[in-house]
PDB file of all heavy atoms in Angstrom:
ATOM      1  N   PRO A  20     163.919 172.516  50.065  1.00  0.00           N
ATOM      2  CA  PRO A  20     164.968 172.452  49.051  1.00  0.00           C
ATOM      3  C   PRO A  20     164.387 172.631  47.652  1.00  0.00           C
ATOM      4  O   PRO A  20     163.234 172.258  47.394  1.00  0.00           O
ATOM      5  CB  PRO A  20     165.570 171.058  49.244  1.00  0.00           C
ATOM      6  CG  PRO A  20     164.485 170.262  49.881  1.00  0.00           C
ATOM      7  CD  PRO A  20     163.712 171.216  50.743  1.00  0.00           C
ATOM      8  N   VAL A  21     165.175 173.174  46.765  1.00  0.00           N
ATOM      9  CA  VAL A  21     164.770 173.362  45.370  1.00  0.00           C
ATOM     10  C   VAL A  21     165.887 172.857  44.462  1.00  0.00           C
ATOM     11  O   VAL A  21     167.011 172.628  44.909  1.00  0.00           O
ATOM     12  CB  VAL A  21     164.463 174.843  45.059  1.00  0.00           C
ATOM     13  CG1 VAL A  21     163.270 175.338  45.856  1.00  0.00           C
ATOM     14  CG2 VAL A  21     165.680 175.717  45.325  1.00  0.00           C
ATOM     15  N   ARG A  22     165.551 172.689  43.189  1.00  0.00           N
ATOM     16  CA  ARG A  22     166.550 172.268  42.208  1.00  0.00           C
ATOM     17  C   ARG A  22     167.116 173.477  41.480  1.00  0.00           C
ATOM     18  O   ARG A  22     166.376 174.404  41.140  1.00  0.00           O
ATOM     19  CB  ARG A  22     165.928 171.327  41.185  1.00  0.00           C
ATOM     20  CG  ARG A  22     165.887 169.886  41.627  1.00  0.00           C
ATOM     21  CD  ARG A  22     165.107 169.061  40.627  1.00  0.00           C
ATOM     22  NE  ARG A  22     165.780 168.921  39.355  1.00  0.00           N
ATOM     23  CZ  ARG A  22     165.153 168.606  38.211  1.00  0.00           C
ATOM     24  NH1 ARG A  22     163.834 168.448  38.217  1.00  0.00           N
ATOM     25  NH2 ARG A  22     165.829 168.470  37.099  1.00  0.00           N
ATOM     26  N   LEU A  23     168.404 173.449  41.276  1.00  0.00           N
ATOM     27  CA  LEU A  23     169.084 174.459  40.484  1.00  0.00           C
ATOM     28  C   LEU A  23     169.639 173.780  39.234  1.00  0.00           C
ATOM     29  O   LEU A  23     170.462 172.874  39.328  1.00  0.00           O
ATOM     30  CB  LEU A  23     170.219 175.105  41.282  1.00  0.00           C
ATOM     31  CG  LEU A  23     171.133 176.063  40.514  1.00  0.00           C
ATOM     32  CD1 LEU A  23     170.344 177.259  39.992  1.00  0.00           C
ATOM     33  CD2 LEU A  23     172.290 176.522  41.405  1.00  0.00           C
ATOM     34  N   VAL A  24     169.161 174.228  38.069  1.00  0.00           N
ATOM     35  CA  VAL A  24     169.627 173.695  36.789  1.00  0.00           C
ATOM     36  C   VAL A  24     170.440 174.785  36.102  1.00  0.00           C
ATOM     37  O   VAL A  24     169.915 175.854  35.781  1.00  0.00           O
ATOM     38  CB  VAL A  24     168.451 173.256  35.899  1.00  0.00           C
ATOM     39  CG1 VAL A  24     168.958 172.798  34.530  1.00  0.00           C
ATOM     40  CG2 VAL A  24     167.655 172.141  36.569  1.00  0.00           C
ATOM     41  N   SER A  25     171.726 174.537  35.899  1.00  0.00           N
ATOM     42  CA  SER A  25     172.629 175.491  35.250  1.00  0.00           C
ATOM     43  C   SER A  25     172.959 174.985  33.857  1.00  0.00           C
ATOM     44  O   SER A  25     173.395 173.838  33.699  1.00  0.00           O
ATOM     45  CB  SER A  25     173.917 175.665  36.070  1.00  0.00           C
ATOM     46  OG  SER A  25     173.616 176.041  37.401  1.00  0.00           O
ATOM     47  N   VAL A  26     172.759 175.847  32.853  1.00  0.00           N
ATOM     48  CA  VAL A  26     172.959 175.462  31.453  1.00  0.00           C
ATOM     49  C   VAL A  26     173.920 176.445  30.803  1.00  0.00           C
ATOM     50  O   VAL A  26     173.730 177.662  30.882  1.00  0.00           O
ATOM     51  CB  VAL A  26     171.629 175.445  30.679  1.00  0.00           C
ATOM     52  CG1 VAL A  26     171.864 175.020  29.232  1.00  0.00           C
ATOM     53  CG2 VAL A  26     170.623 174.528  31.352  1.00  0.00           C
ATOM     54  N   SER A  27     174.959 175.924  30.162  1.00  0.00           N
ATOM     55  CA  SER A  27     175.904 176.744  29.407  1.00  0.00           C
ATOM     56  C   SER A  27     175.425 176.834  27.964  1.00  0.00           C
ATOM     57  O   SER A  27     175.401 175.832  27.246  1.00  0.00           O
ATOM     58  CB  SER A  27     177.305 176.133  29.463  1.00  0.00           C
ATOM     59  OG  SER A  27     178.206 176.862  28.654  1.00  0.00           O
ATOM     60  N   TRP A  28     175.025 178.039  27.559  1.00  0.00           N
ATOM     61  CA  TRP A  28     174.463 178.252  26.227  1.00  0.00           C
ATOM     62  C   TRP A  28     175.339 179.255  25.500  1.00  0.00           C
ATOM     63  O   TRP A  28     175.314 180.432  25.787  1.00  0.00           O
ATOM     64  CB  TRP A  28     173.028 178.756  26.352  1.00  0.00           C
ATOM     65  CG  TRP A  28     172.272 178.838  25.058  1.00  0.00           C
ATOM     66  CD1 TRP A  28     172.288 179.848  24.153  1.00  0.00           C
ATOM     67  CD2 TRP A  28     171.355 177.865  24.542  1.00  0.00           C
ATOM     68  NE1 TRP A  28     171.462 179.579  23.095  1.00  0.00           N
ATOM     69  CE2 TRP A  28     170.868 178.364  23.305  1.00  0.00           C
ATOM     70  CE3 TRP A  28     170.912 176.628  24.986  1.00  0.00           C
ATOM     71  CZ2 TRP A  28     169.954 177.663  22.521  1.00  0.00           C
ATOM     72  CZ3 TRP A  28     170.001 175.934  24.207  1.00  0.00           C
ATOM     73  CH2 TRP A  28     169.529 176.452  22.993  1.00  0.00           C
ATOM     74  N   GLU A  29     176.135 178.782  24.575  1.00  0.00           N
ATOM     75  CA  GLU A  29     177.072 179.617  23.816  1.00  0.00           C
ATOM     76  C   GLU A  29     177.965 180.450  24.745  1.00  0.00           C
ATOM     77  O   GLU A  29     178.176 181.640  24.530  1.00  0.00           O
ATOM     78  CB  GLU A  29     176.328 180.534  22.850  1.00  0.00           C
ATOM     79  CG  GLU A  29     175.680 179.815  21.685  1.00  0.00           C
ATOM     80  CD  GLU A  29     175.254 180.770  20.598  1.00  0.00           C
ATOM     81  OE1 GLU A  29     174.403 181.651  20.872  1.00  0.00           O
ATOM     82  OE2 GLU A  29     175.789 180.654  19.472  1.00  0.00           O
ATOM     83  N   GLY A  30     178.467 179.817  25.793  1.00  0.00           N
ATOM     84  CA  GLY A  30     179.387 180.478  26.701  1.00  0.00           C
ATOM     85  C   GLY A  30     178.751 181.245  27.832  1.00  0.00           C
ATOM     86  O   GLY A  30     179.444 181.711  28.745  1.00  0.00           O
ATOM     87  N   THR A  31     177.441 181.400  27.831  1.00  0.00           N
ATOM     88  CA  THR A  31     176.722 182.094  28.903  1.00  0.00           C
ATOM     89  C   THR A  31     176.011 181.076  29.785  1.00  0.00           C
ATOM     90  O   THR A  31     175.363 180.149  29.279  1.00  0.00           O
ATOM     91  CB  THR A  31     175.694 183.078  28.321  1.00  0.00           C
ATOM     92  OG1 THR A  31     176.365 184.014  27.467  1.00  0.00           O
ATOM     93  CG2 THR A  31     174.987 183.836  29.437  1.00  0.00           C
ATOM     94  N   ILE A  32     176.134 181.230  31.106  1.00  0.00           N
ATOM     95  CA  ILE A  32     175.503 180.313  32.052  1.00  0.00           C
ATOM     96  C   ILE A  32     174.123 180.846  32.430  1.00  0.00           C
ATOM     97  O   ILE A  32     173.980 181.983  32.899  1.00  0.00           O
ATOM     98  CB  ILE A  32     176.352 180.141  33.322  1.00  0.00           C
ATOM     99  CG1 ILE A  32     177.775 179.688  32.956  1.00  0.00           C
ATOM    100  CG2 ILE A  32     175.699 179.127  34.259  1.00  0.00           C
ATOM    101  CD1 ILE A  32     177.836 178.346  32.269  1.00  0.00           C
ATOM    102  N   TYR A  33     173.096 180.035  32.219  1.00  0.00           N
ATOM    103  CA  TYR A  33     171.725 180.364  32.628  1.00  0.00           C
ATOM    104  C   TYR A  33     171.343 179.418  33.765  1.00  0.00           C
ATOM    105  O   TYR A  33     171.540 178.202  33.663  1.00  0.00           O
ATOM    106  CB  TYR A  33     170.759 180.208  31.461  1.00  0.00           C
ATOM    107  CG  TYR A  33     171.026 181.163  30.321  1.00  0.00           C
ATOM    108  CD1 TYR A  33     171.884 180.808  29.279  1.00  0.00           C
ATOM    109  CD2 TYR A  33     170.431 182.420  30.283  1.00  0.00           C
ATOM    110  CE1 TYR A  33     172.140 181.679  28.234  1.00  0.00           C
ATOM    111  CE2 TYR A  33     170.679 183.296  29.238  1.00  0.00           C
ATOM    112  CZ  TYR A  33     171.536 182.925  28.219  1.00  0.00           C
ATOM    113  OH  TYR A  33     171.792 183.800  27.196  1.00  0.00           O
ATOM    114  N   ARG A  34     170.771 180.001  34.834  1.00  0.00           N
ATOM    115  CA  ARG A  34     170.440 179.209  36.028  1.00  0.00           C
ATOM    116  C   ARG A  34     168.935 179.279  36.286  1.00  0.00           C
ATOM    117  O   ARG A  34     168.369 180.373  36.381  1.00  0.00           O
ATOM    118  CB  ARG A  34     171.225 179.709  37.235  1.00  0.00           C
ATOM    119  CG  ARG A  34     172.738 179.495  37.099  1.00  0.00           C
ATOM    120  CD  ARG A  34     173.483 180.013  38.309  1.00  0.00           C
ATOM    121  NE  ARG A  34     174.902 179.649  38.245  1.00  0.00           N
ATOM    122  CZ  ARG A  34     175.823 180.378  37.628  1.00  0.00           C
ATOM    123  NH1 ARG A  34     175.472 181.522  37.032  1.00  0.00           N
ATOM    124  NH2 ARG A  34     177.085 179.978  37.599  1.00  0.00           N
ATOM    125  N   TYR A  35     168.343 178.106  36.421  1.00  0.00           N
ATOM    126  CA  TYR A  35     166.898 178.000  36.616  1.00  0.00           C
ATOM    127  C   TYR A  35     166.590 177.295  37.932  1.00  0.00           C
ATOM    128  O   TYR A  35     167.325 176.395  38.345  1.00  0.00           O
ATOM    129  CB  TYR A  35     166.256 177.236  35.456  1.00  0.00           C
ATOM    130  CG  TYR A  35     166.640 177.767  34.091  1.00  0.00           C
ATOM    131  CD1 TYR A  35     167.626 177.133  33.342  1.00  0.00           C
ATOM    132  CD2 TYR A  35     166.027 178.897  33.564  1.00  0.00           C
ATOM    133  CE1 TYR A  35     167.989 177.612  32.095  1.00  0.00           C
ATOM    134  CE2 TYR A  35     166.384 179.383  32.314  1.00  0.00           C
ATOM    135  CZ  TYR A  35     167.366 178.748  31.590  1.00  0.00           C
ATOM    136  OH  TYR A  35     167.737 179.224  30.360  1.00  0.00           O
ATOM    137  N   LEU A  36     165.477 177.701  38.552  1.00  0.00           N
ATOM    138  CA  LEU A  36     165.028 177.111  39.812  1.00  0.00           C
ATOM    139  C   LEU A  36     163.678 176.433  39.615  1.00  0.00           C
ATOM    140  O   LEU A  36     162.826 176.917  38.861  1.00  0.00           O
ATOM    141  CB  LEU A  36     164.890 178.183  40.898  1.00  0.00           C
ATOM    142  CG  LEU A  36     166.159 178.828  41.448  1.00  0.00           C
ATOM    143  CD1 LEU A  36     165.774 179.908  42.456  1.00  0.00           C
ATOM    144  CD2 LEU A  36     167.065 177.784  42.091  1.00  0.00           C
ATOM    145  N   THR A  37     163.477 175.336  40.318  1.00  0.00           N
ATOM    146  CA  THR A  37     162.177 174.684  40.355  1.00  0.00           C
ATOM    147  C   THR A  37     162.055 173.900  41.656  1.00  0.00           C
ATOM    148  O   THR A  37     163.065 173.451  42.211  1.00  0.00           O
ATOM    149  CB  THR A  37     161.970 173.737  39.154  1.00  0.00           C
ATOM    150  OG1 THR A  37     160.684 173.110  39.254  1.00  0.00           O
ATOM    151  CG2 THR A  37     163.044 172.667  39.108  1.00  0.00           C
ATOM    152  N   ASN A  38     160.835 173.742  42.131  1.00  0.00           N
ATOM    153  CA  ASN A  38     160.609 172.908  43.311  1.00  0.00           C
ATOM    154  C   ASN A  38     160.180 171.494  42.925  1.00  0.00           C
ATOM    155  O   ASN A  38     159.780 170.704  43.787  1.00  0.00           O
ATOM    156  CB  ASN A  38     159.576 173.545  44.245  1.00  0.00           C
ATOM    157  CG  ASN A  38     158.187 173.641  43.626  1.00  0.00           C
ATOM    158  OD1 ASN A  38     158.048 173.708  42.405  1.00  0.00           O
ATOM    159  ND2 ASN A  38     157.173 173.659  44.466  1.00  0.00           N
ATOM    160  N   VAL A  39     160.249 171.162  41.631  1.00  0.00           N
ATOM    161  CA  VAL A  39     160.075 169.773  41.194  1.00  0.00           C
ATOM    162  C   VAL A  39     161.421 169.090  41.408  1.00  0.00           C
ATOM    163  O   VAL A  39     162.332 169.181  40.575  1.00  0.00           O
ATOM    164  CB  VAL A  39     159.649 169.688  39.718  1.00  0.00           C
ATOM    165  CG1 VAL A  39     159.405 168.228  39.321  1.00  0.00           C
ATOM    166  CG2 VAL A  39     158.395 170.518  39.479  1.00  0.00           C
ATOM    167  N   THR A  40     161.582 168.419  42.513  1.00  0.00           N
ATOM    168  CA  THR A  40     162.898 167.900  42.904  1.00  0.00           C
ATOM    169  C   THR A  40     163.247 166.565  42.252  1.00  0.00           C
ATOM    170  O   THR A  40     164.383 166.117  42.360  1.00  0.00           O
ATOM    171  CB  THR A  40     162.966 167.746  44.432  1.00  0.00           C
ATOM    172  OG1 THR A  40     161.887 166.906  44.871  1.00  0.00           O
ATOM    173  CG2 THR A  40     162.856 169.107  45.118  1.00  0.00           C
ATOM    174  N   ASP A  41     162.297 165.912  41.612  1.00  0.00           N
ATOM    175  CA  ASP A  41     162.549 164.618  40.994  1.00  0.00           C
ATOM    176  C   ASP A  41     162.808 164.805  39.502  1.00  0.00           C
ATOM    177  O   ASP A  41     161.901 165.184  38.741  1.00  0.00           O
ATOM    178  CB  ASP A  41     161.348 163.699  41.195  1.00  0.00           C
ATOM    179  CG  ASP A  41     161.610 162.274  40.707  1.00  0.00           C
ATOM    180  OD1 ASP A  41     162.690 162.031  40.139  1.00  0.00           O
ATOM    181  OD2 ASP A  41     160.722 161.424  40.887  1.00  0.00           O
ATOM    182  N   PRO A  42     164.011 164.536  39.013  1.00  0.00           N
ATOM    183  CA  PRO A  42     164.292 164.678  37.579  1.00  0.00           C
ATOM    184  C   PRO A  42     163.467 163.751  36.698  1.00  0.00           C
ATOM    185  O   PRO A  42     163.339 163.999  35.499  1.00  0.00           O
ATOM    186  CB  PRO A  42     165.793 164.334  37.478  1.00  0.00           C
ATOM    187  CG  PRO A  42     166.335 164.521  38.853  1.00  0.00           C
ATOM    188  CD  PRO A  42     165.213 164.159  39.777  1.00  0.00           C
ATOM    189  N   GLU A  43     162.929 162.660  37.279  1.00  0.00           N
ATOM    190  CA  GLU A  43     162.085 161.765  36.494  1.00  0.00           C
ATOM    191  C   GLU A  43     160.750 162.431  36.156  1.00  0.00           C
ATOM    192  O   GLU A  43     160.124 162.093  35.148  1.00  0.00           O
ATOM    193  CB  GLU A  43     161.839 160.462  37.271  1.00  0.00           C
ATOM    194  CG  GLU A  43     163.096 159.638  37.507  1.00  0.00           C
ATOM    195  CD  GLU A  43     163.705 159.146  36.209  1.00  0.00           C
ATOM    196  OE1 GLU A  43     162.927 158.839  35.277  1.00  0.00           O
ATOM    197  OE2 GLU A  43     164.944 159.074  36.114  1.00  0.00           O
ATOM    198  N   VAL A  44     160.314 163.345  37.003  1.00  0.00           N
ATOM    199  CA  VAL A  44     159.063 164.066  36.750  1.00  0.00           C
ATOM    200  C   VAL A  44     159.309 165.229  35.794  1.00  0.00           C
ATOM    201  O   VAL A  44     158.529 165.461  34.854  1.00  0.00           O
ATOM    202  CB  VAL A  44     158.455 164.578  38.077  1.00  0.00           C
ATOM    203  CG1 VAL A  44     157.204 165.414  37.806  1.00  0.00           C
ATOM    204  CG2 VAL A  44     158.137 163.406  38.989  1.00  0.00           C
ATOM    205  N   LEU A  45     160.373 165.972  36.012  1.00  0.00           N
ATOM    206  CA  LEU A  45     160.706 167.121  35.166  1.00  0.00           C
ATOM    207  C   LEU A  45     162.222 167.139  34.981  1.00  0.00           C
ATOM    208  O   LEU A  45     162.966 167.478  35.901  1.00  0.00           O
ATOM    209  CB  LEU A  45     160.233 168.424  35.819  1.00  0.00           C
ATOM    210  CG  LEU A  45     160.244 169.670  34.926  1.00  0.00           C
ATOM    211  CD1 LEU A  45     159.200 169.540  33.810  1.00  0.00           C
ATOM    212  CD2 LEU A  45     159.970 170.927  35.735  1.00  0.00           C
ATOM    213  N   SER A  46     162.656 166.758  33.811  1.00  0.00           N
ATOM    214  CA  SER A  46     164.089 166.669  33.550  1.00  0.00           C
ATOM    215  C   SER A  46     164.723 168.059  33.481  1.00  0.00           C
ATOM    216  O   SER A  46     164.030 169.072  33.356  1.00  0.00           O
ATOM    217  CB  SER A  46     164.342 165.921  32.241  1.00  0.00           C
ATOM    218  OG  SER A  46     163.883 166.695  31.146  1.00  0.00           O
ATOM    219  N   ALA A  47     166.045 168.085  33.547  1.00  0.00           N
ATOM    220  CA  ALA A  47     166.759 169.356  33.462  1.00  0.00           C
ATOM    221  C   ALA A  47     166.466 170.060  32.144  1.00  0.00           C
ATOM    222  O   ALA A  47     166.336 171.294  32.091  1.00  0.00           O
ATOM    223  CB  ALA A  47     168.262 169.122  33.627  1.00  0.00           C
ATOM    224  N   ARG A  48     166.341 169.307  31.086  1.00  0.00           N
ATOM    225  CA  ARG A  48     166.051 169.925  29.787  1.00  0.00           C
ATOM    226  C   ARG A  48     164.675 170.578  29.793  1.00  0.00           C
ATOM    227  O   ARG A  48     164.506 171.694  29.290  1.00  0.00           O
ATOM    228  CB  ARG A  48     166.127 168.876  28.678  1.00  0.00           C
ATOM    229  CG  ARG A  48     165.867 169.484  27.304  1.00  0.00           C
ATOM    230  CD  ARG A  48     166.012 168.483  26.183  1.00  0.00           C
ATOM    231  NE  ARG A  48     165.864 169.146  24.883  1.00  0.00           N
ATOM    232  CZ  ARG A  48     165.954 168.526  23.718  1.00  0.00           C
ATOM    233  NH1 ARG A  48     166.213 167.222  23.679  1.00  0.00           N
ATOM    234  NH2 ARG A  48     165.796 169.203  22.589  1.00  0.00           N
ATOM    235  N   TYR A  49     163.678 169.905  30.356  1.00  0.00           N
ATOM    236  CA  TYR A  49     162.342 170.496  30.404  1.00  0.00           C
ATOM    237  C   TYR A  49     162.305 171.734  31.295  1.00  0.00           C
ATOM    238  O   TYR A  49     161.563 172.680  31.020  1.00  0.00           O
ATOM    239  CB  TYR A  49     161.319 169.468  30.883  1.00  0.00           C
ATOM    240  CG  TYR A  49     160.820 168.551  29.793  1.00  0.00           C
ATOM    241  CD1 TYR A  49     160.879 167.171  29.936  1.00  0.00           C
ATOM    242  CD2 TYR A  49     160.294 169.069  28.629  1.00  0.00           C
ATOM    243  CE1 TYR A  49     160.424 166.319  28.930  1.00  0.00           C
ATOM    244  CE2 TYR A  49     159.837 168.237  27.617  1.00  0.00           C
ATOM    245  CZ  TYR A  49     159.908 166.871  27.770  1.00  0.00           C
ATOM    246  OH  TYR A  49     159.453 166.052  26.760  1.00  0.00           O
ATOM    247  N   VAL A  50     163.091 171.753  32.363  1.00  0.00           N
ATOM    248  CA  VAL A  50     163.160 172.950  33.209  1.00  0.00           C
ATOM    249  C   VAL A  50     163.647 174.135  32.382  1.00  0.00           C
ATOM    250  O   VAL A  50     163.063 175.228  32.404  1.00  0.00           O
ATOM    251  CB  VAL A  50     164.094 172.715  34.411  1.00  0.00           C
ATOM    252  CG1 VAL A  50     164.316 174.026  35.173  1.00  0.00           C
ATOM    253  CG2 VAL A  50     163.513 171.660  35.344  1.00  0.00           C
ATOM    254  N   SER A  51     164.715 173.908  31.615  1.00  0.00           N
ATOM    255  CA  SER A  51     165.268 174.974  30.781  1.00  0.00           C
ATOM    256  C   SER A  51     164.305 175.387  29.669  1.00  0.00           C
ATOM    257  O   SER A  51     164.065 176.570  29.438  1.00  0.00           O
ATOM    258  CB  SER A  51     166.596 174.511  30.168  1.00  0.00           C
ATOM    259  OG  SER A  51     167.080 175.430  29.218  1.00  0.00           O
ATOM    260  N   GLU A  52     163.726 174.407  28.990  1.00  0.00           N
ATOM    261  CA  GLU A  52     162.851 174.716  27.866  1.00  0.00           C
ATOM    262  C   GLU A  52     161.548 175.359  28.321  1.00  0.00           C
ATOM    263  O   GLU A  52     160.977 176.189  27.611  1.00  0.00           O
ATOM    264  CB  GLU A  52     162.557 173.433  27.072  1.00  0.00           C
ATOM    265  CG  GLU A  52     163.769 172.814  26.405  1.00  0.00           C
ATOM    266  CD  GLU A  52     164.314 173.684  25.274  1.00  0.00           C
ATOM    267  OE1 GLU A  52     163.607 174.589  24.815  1.00  0.00           O
ATOM    268  OE2 GLU A  52     165.461 173.440  24.846  1.00  0.00           O
TER     269      GLU A  52
END
């Protein structure tokens, strides 16, 4: 399993994947940034 982080940025959806499944280790914001 992997994590899917979807971010709405000025009306456009950006989708990111990571195999860091624990948000405490890598938050959704850090995945995007």
Side-chain angles (χ1 to χ4, degrees):
V21 296
R22 275 173 69 201
L23 173 62
V24 176
S25 305
V26 181
S27 176
W28 188 276
E29 290 194 299
T31 302
I32 305 298
Y33 296 90
R34 294 180 173 87
Y35 309 100
L36 290 177
T37 179
N38 65 333
V39 183
T40 56
D41 186 355
E43 295 296 325
V44 176
L45 192 67
S46 68
R48 181 177 185 179
Y49 277 126
V50 172
S51 172
E52 295 292 344

